[in-house]
Amino acid sequence: IGAFFAKETHFEISTFENVNFMNSRFIGGVNFKSTIFRGSSRFNFALFKGNTTFLNTIFEGNAYFINAKIEGKFIFVLENFAHNAPIFVDKRSKASFSADVDPEDYFFSVADGKSIDCGTAELLNKSFEIPLGTVLFDPGSNDISDPAK
């Protein structure tokens, strides 16, 4: 909880069990390529700056990204998730994505035929495909978009 990673961090080919990265700060980017998450994985209130990669990642339990703040490239290509799709939104809170990046810098897919439901949100005269219910924000003005539909 609350870990601080100032430099680019690599967790490739790792296995985590019931990991809690709540309130953690990934400042230099983070790579979770080919990582397996067993049990619950909590990234609530985490800050992702720099390039963030979840490539060929497996979530065997629920993965929570509620109130996560994404300020850089975010590639989310899962190999599989066992139960629920990763959770970016609940009844009161939602993850937010910077509109200060290229819309192509956010990418969400699942290799095994399951899906992460995404919708469109607009801010700064740009349209982004991000998980349903999440929002865009402008780091310069703190403007926030309507939730992705």
Side-chain angles (χ1 to χ4, degrees), residues 3 5 7-16 19 21 24 26 29-37 43 48 53-55 57:
F5 301 93
K7 296 182 179 182
E8 187 172 354
T9 304
H10 296 272
F11 291 113
E12 294 101 329
I13 313 172
S14 297
T15 301
F16 292 100
V19 68
F21 284 116
S24 293
F26 299 96
V30 62
N31 189 338
F32 289 103
K33 181 180 178 187
S34 299
T35 298
I36 298 171
F37 291 92
F43 294 91
F48 296 94
T53 304
F54 288 87
L55 181 63
T57 303

Side-chain angles (χ1 to χ4, degrees), residues 25-68:
R25 305 290 181 252
F26 299 96
I27 303 304
V30 62
N31 189 338
F32 289 103
K33 181 180 178 187
S34 299
T35 298
I36 298 171
F37 291 92
R38 296 194 168 117
S40 291
S41 304
R42 298 189 181 279
F43 294 91
N44 300 344
F45 297 96
L47 172 63
F48 296 94
K49 287 184 169 247
N51 294 337
T52 299
T53 304
F54 288 87
L55 181 63
N56 299 324
T57 303
I58 297 172
F59 287 103
E60 293 181 352
N62 288 333
Y64 299 93
F65 291 84
I66 298 162
N67 274 327

Side-chain angles (χ1 to χ4, degrees), residues 88-89 94-97 121 130-136 145-148:
F88 290 89
V89 176
K94 57 192 78 44
S96 57
F97 293 82
I130 55 178
L132 283 176
T134 62
V135 295
L136 296 168
S145 72
D146 291 332

